[in-house]
Amino acid sequence: MTHWLFKSEPDEFSIKHLSVKKIAQWDGVRNYQARNFIRQMQAGDLAFFYHSSCKHVGIAGVMRIVGTSYPDPLAQDPESPYYDIKSQQENKWSAIKVEFVTEFRRVLSLDQIKKMAINDQNLASFDLIKKGSRLSVMPVTEEQWQCLLHAAESN
DNA sequence: GCCAACGTTGGC
DNA sequence: GCCAACGTTGGC
């Protein structure tokens, strides 16, 4: 099983929203690298829910991948801000369903993760903490996952 | 709100 | 195929 991390601005969609909805469609991803990761996801994979561009930036909870990716309906919808005219024929963008698992008592902050990475080779190589990293969906290694999950649960 | 860093676009 | 210009992301 592979692990993942998804970024979202909590004003738009937060771990709390997901905890109410239980299952949501993750759509609107318009970056090829992120899209390719979505296409690699398998049912049952676990993922961190990361809050970006907000007061408490960091990992807020865990969710589970439901099913596999499918064409993003927003790309076909002229009313949507995520509409992409080039998506008419080709299957250009992908969406996937996610299921709520846990909301951490406190957000494991980006600052905490960066501090942990000073003494942790595995975390040091994590894309998330690299300056200028804009990838909204990324893989998390088994070692990184265990380390971050443990830190979040005992936070 | 600022601005550095990034991905994409398009002229050449 | 290069690269400047642009729009967007995201931490601060």
Side-chain angles (χ1 to χ4, degrees), chain A residues 40-115:
Chain A
Q40 292 171 32
M41 292 176 186
Q42 302 287 324
D45 284 356
L46 293 174
F48 286 131
F49 194 126
Y50 179 89
H51 286 175
S52 67
S53 298
C54 59
K55 194 170 176 188
H56 300 292
V57 169
I59 297 173
V62 174
M63 56 193 182
R64 184 183 298 111
I65 301 301
V66 179
T68 50
S69 71
Y70 51 93
D72 184 349
L74 297 189
Q76 316 280 351
D77 175 7
E79 299 292 304
S80 169
Y82 295 104
Y83 178 62
D84 183 347
I85 194 150
K86 292 178 190 158
S87 244
Q88 288 304 335
Q89 288 95 353
E90 37 169 345
N91 172 19
K92 193 174 170 193
W93 300 114
S94 296
I96 198 158
K97 286 202 161 59
V98 294
E99 179 185 13
F100 175 77
V101 175
T102 320
E103 177 181 1
F104 297 131
R105 288 206 339 277
R106 311 163 112 158
V107 169
L108 181 66
S109 71
L110 178 60
D111 198 51
Q112 285 177 286
I113 298 169
K114 283 179 174 170
K115 288 201 169 104

